[in-house]
């Protein structure tokens, strides 16, 4: 049998059969979180002047517009209405009011005013700039 010169060498020899385990390296950049998936509205683009109102089962898609509600809401959605607005300016007081089970999706918009959702209504913003409050009222 071989005689080891130091106690450290003996410890090292006893650890060799066990091994050190494995080292796992992660990605160098943190993973980006996926945005919540919202059903894409497959309808023709709507051109608007002023404010927008929808209700019932309506579906609207609005691109590159200025929605101005002045002293009232720029977008008002109720029932099961779905509105998708992209690359637009949405301003009013409040800017958006959603009630019932309606959904409003704002993608890369400039929003000036409060976002108000009531009941099960939902407002989603993706890449938008917002100046105002987000208010939720349940009934």
């Amino acid at each position: 049998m071989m005689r080891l010169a130091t106690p450290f060498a003996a410890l090292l020899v006893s650890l060799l059969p066990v091994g050190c385990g494995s080292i796992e390296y992660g990605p160098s950049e943190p993973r980006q979180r996926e945005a919540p998936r919202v059903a894409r509205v497959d309808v023709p683009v709507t051109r608007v002047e002023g404010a927008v109102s929808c209700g019932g089962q309506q579906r609207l898609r609005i691109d590159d517009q200025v929605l101005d509600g002045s002293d009232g809401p720029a977008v008002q959605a109720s029932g099961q209405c779905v509105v998708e607005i992209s690359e637009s300016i949405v301003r009013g007081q409040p800017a958006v009011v959603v009630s019932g089970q309606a959904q409003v999706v704002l993608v890369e918009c400039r929003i000036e005013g409060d976002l108000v959702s009531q009941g099960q209504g939902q407002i989603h913003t993706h890449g938008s700039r917002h100046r105002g409050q987000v208010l939720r009222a349940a009934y």
Side-chain angles (χ1 to χ4, degrees):
M1 178 148 184
M2 180 188 295
R3 185 166 176 224
L4 299 172
T6 65
F8 176 72
L11 178 64
L12 186 60
V13 169
S14 69
L15 288 178
L16 284 176
V18 174
C20 297
S22 64
I23 297 174
E24 202 172 298
Y25 293 97
S28 60
E29 302 255 338
R31 291 185 185 171
Q32 292 183 353
R33 300 176 98 187
E34 287 187 27
R37 296 180 192 261
V38 178
R40 177 96 175 135
V41 178
D42 195 21
V43 294
V45 175
T46 304
R47 297 287 170 211
V48 237
E49 289 183 24
V52 173
S53 180
C54 84
Q57 304 262 337
Q58 279 184 305
R59 293 176 148 340
L60 298 175
R61 191 174 120 211
I62 301 165
D63 292 335
D64 194 28
Q65 297 293 306
V66 175
L67 305 175
D68 192 346
S70 298
D71 294 335
V75 178
Q76 190 161 9
S78 61
Q80 294 177 333
C81 173
V82 177
V83 181
E84 182 181 296
I85 303 169
S86 64
E87 298 177 351
S88 297
I89 297 171
V90 180
R91 64 177 162 237
Q93 196 47 39
V96 179
V97 176
V98 179
S99 61
Q101 295 176 337
Q103 292 185 27
V104 174
V105 180
L106 300 149
V107 180
E108 295 184 16
C109 292
R110 189 173 86 203
I111 307 160
E112 300 172 3
D114 297 341
L115 301 176
V116 180
S117 60
Q118 302 168 336
Q120 295 176 351
Q122 297 179 1
I123 302 171
H124 301 278
T125 60
H126 304 286
S128 296
R129 292 178 288 150
H130 177 223
R131 189 175 70 211
Q133 296 181 352
V134 177
L135 305 169
R136 178 101 179 119
Y139 59 90

